Amino acid sequence: MIFIDNEGNTNPKLNLALEEYALRNFDSSTDYLLFYINEPSIIIGRNQNTLEEINKDYIDANGIHVVRRVSGGGAVYHDLGNLNFSFITNHDGKSISNFKKFTAPVIRVLNAMGVTAELKGRNDIQVDEKKISGTAQFSTGKRMISHGTLLFDTDMSEVAKALQVKMSKIQSKGHKSVRSRVANISEFLKTPISMDDFKNQLLNGLYEASEPFEIHKLTEDEWKAVHQLKAEKYDQWDWNYGRSPKFNIQRNKRFPIGEIDLRIFVEKGLISEFKIFGDFFGRQPVTDLEDLLIGVPYDKNEISNALENVSIENYFGKIEKSDFIDLVYGND
């Protein structure tokens, strides 16, 4: 097994691009191990509705990345106190869904460090019923990745804030995350250590029974290809938000001018149906406003741009445009 050096990059979009590039392009006769640490970010499972997993206002205000990964499972929060590991191997027909095979060496090293970790359920590593790691897998058919998080010293208060969904009445066919009781590995260590020490102990422990391991440093051309994949996929709104499964939203609020009740249907990130109901009085038919928003990405900035030259008062009476936009896309 060869260790891939990510050169200390902490951009989650770049790290996920590196992971996918290695999966699809590195020597298929060799197994690889990749470690990476990400800046504050929410990593969304492949089959999830992004908006159903995040507190959009909070992550925008705090500059938290939102990135979809290629593997399934639930949304997770990453920060500089979280170490991610990824095993890249051939798919032998028995390894997919065999989380025990890939978590066992990690658990062995944690046990040697005095952390009484064990695999619980399908794919979680726990200590005393508290989750310290979640894992997921993805296969191209011939090659696969089995990757996971290791909560070493994560800011747990940020986990709750970033993943606390505020928008009401979202119903989708996406896979929703199940929140678990979580804890940091640092809580279970008898002697405090730094993240660098933890990473080195884990790496040395994983290779304890092996030959001295080789380190792969990416060439300039390989890094260029990774950056290209990042730009074409992981930087794109369409991948991170637009690939969400179909979902419906109902938004309702009473204003001084009356009640406005919205029913919004979103498909591939775009508004495909938009219906307005209520007991308000307006000079123009709301069907004109409904038609204007069809095909617009379900994104606050895009919706604001679509309504830039629209007089909202013509449709509802005296109401601020910003209040209407917040009803279409905003916190409760």
Side-chain angles (χ1 to χ4, degrees):
M1 186 174 287
I2 295 175
F3 181 70
I4 301 171
D5 182 5
N6 84 326
E7 300 183 9
N9 285 297
T10 58
N11 184 308
K13 295 175 181 178
L14 185 63
N15 281 324
L16 289 178
L18 169 58
E19 182 179 58
E20 183 178 352
Y21 179 81
L23 171 72
R24 298 185 186 278
N25 296 280
F26 280 14
D27 186 356
S28 61
S29 66
T30 302
D31 294 339
Y32 293 90
L33 172 64
L34 170 67
F35 282 173
Y36 54 91
I37 296 171
N38 287 328
E39 301 161 11
S41 50
I42 297 176
I43 311 300
I44 303 292
R46 183 184 183 92
N47 303 310
Q48 292 191 296
N49 168 15
T50 302
L51 290 174
E52 209 167 26
E53 300 296 329
I54 63 174
N55 180 343
K56 189 66 165 60
D57 283 355
Y58 186 82
I59 63 134
D60 286 347
N62 290 276
I64 298 171
H65 301 275
V66 176
V67 196
R68 188 183 301 279
R69 62 179 185 268
V70 293
S71 61
V76 291
Y77 177 80
H78 289 181
D79 65 10
L80 298 176
N82 177 80
L83 177 64
N84 303 282
F85 62 89
S86 179
F87 294 102
I88 302 172
T89 67
N90 278 334
H91 176 22
D92 59 9
K94 301 176 182 179
S95 296
I96 281 290
S97 297
N98 182 1
F99 292 96
K100 184 176 181 179
K101 173 182 177 180
F102 296 98
T103 57
V106 175
I107 290 172
R108 174 178 56 77
V109 177
L110 289 172
N111 288 167
M113 296 170 66
V115 179
T116 56
E118 56 184 329
L119 182 67
K120 289 286 188 74
R122 183 182 58 163
N123 61 335
D124 292 341
I125 300 176
Q126 296 185 4
V127 179
D128 298 335
E129 304 302 321
K130 290 184 179 180
K131 179 177 175 178
I132 60 168
S133 171
T135 58
Q137 295 180 337
F138 172 73
S139 170
T140 62
K142 183 179 180 181
R143 298 283 278 174
M144 65 171 286
I145 55 175
S146 187
H147 54 188
T149 63
L150 284 169
L151 296 168
F152 178 71
D153 192 23
T154 290
D155 187 340
M156 294 301 182
S157 66
E158 287 298 295
V159 176
K161 294 171 186 174
L163 294 174
Q164 183 180 4
V165 180
K166 294 286 188 180
M167 198 177 290
S168 66
K169 298 181 180 177
I170 301 179
Q171 297 179 337
S172 81
K173 296 180 180 180
H175 173 82
K176 299 176 183 63
S177 295
V178 178
R179 308 298 179 214
S180 306
R181 293 177 63 203
V182 294
N184 279 313
I185 293 168
S186 58
E187 298 175 31
F188 304 103
L189 295 172
K190 293 181 179 179
T191 303
I193 59 174
S194 68
M195 170 61 92
D196 282 343
D197 287 340
F198 174 67
K199 183 169 63 173
N200 290 332
Q201 286 189 38
L202 180 64
L203 185 59
N204 291 332
L206 289 173
Y207 283 101
E208 194 175 55
S210 307
E211 298 285 332
F213 57 88
E214 179 183 341
I215 297 178
H216 178 84
K217 289 185 176 291
L218 275 72
T219 65
E220 185 177 337
D221 286 343
E222 286 173 333
W223 272 123
K224 184 177 179 180
V226 171
H227 279 277
Q228 182 176 347
L229 178 59
K230 171 181 176 288
E232 294 177 353
K233 181 174 184 175
Y234 292 98
D235 283 342
Q236 299 300 314
W237 178 89
D238 180 64
W239 170 252
N240 296 317
Y241 287 89
R243 295 298 179 94
S244 295
K246 298 178 183 179
F247 60 99
N248 296 296
I249 300 170
Q250 179 184 351
R251 305 278 287 163
N252 182 284
K253 187 173 182 179
R254 177 160 290 280
F255 296 92
I257 50 86
E259 182 182 46
I260 301 178
D261 186 354
L262 307 179
R263 308 299 170 94
I264 308 166
F265 189 81
V266 179
E267 185 172 358
K268 294 182 178 179
L270 304 178
I271 298 172
S272 58
E273 293 182 34
F274 192 95
K275 296 297 181 185
I276 304 172
F277 304 93
D279 57 2
F280 49 84
F281 297 96
R283 295 191 298 274
Q284 292 179 231
V286 293
T287 50
D288 293 347
L289 188 57
E290 293 170 347
D291 292 342
L292 185 63
L293 290 171
I294 299 300
V296 173
Y298 191 62
D299 173 85
K300 194 168 188 176
N301 290 332
E302 296 286 352
I303 293 166
S304 298
N305 291 337
L307 298 177
E308 184 177 2
N309 299 316
V310 173
S311 174
I312 292 296
E313 291 189 11
N314 289 340
Y315 299 97
F316 303 108
K318 192 170 180 57
I319 178 179
E320 295 292 332
K321 183 185 294 186
S322 59
D323 290 336
F324 178 72
I325 292 172
D326 283 342
L327 180 61
V328 177
Y329 189 122
N331 285 344
D332 301 332

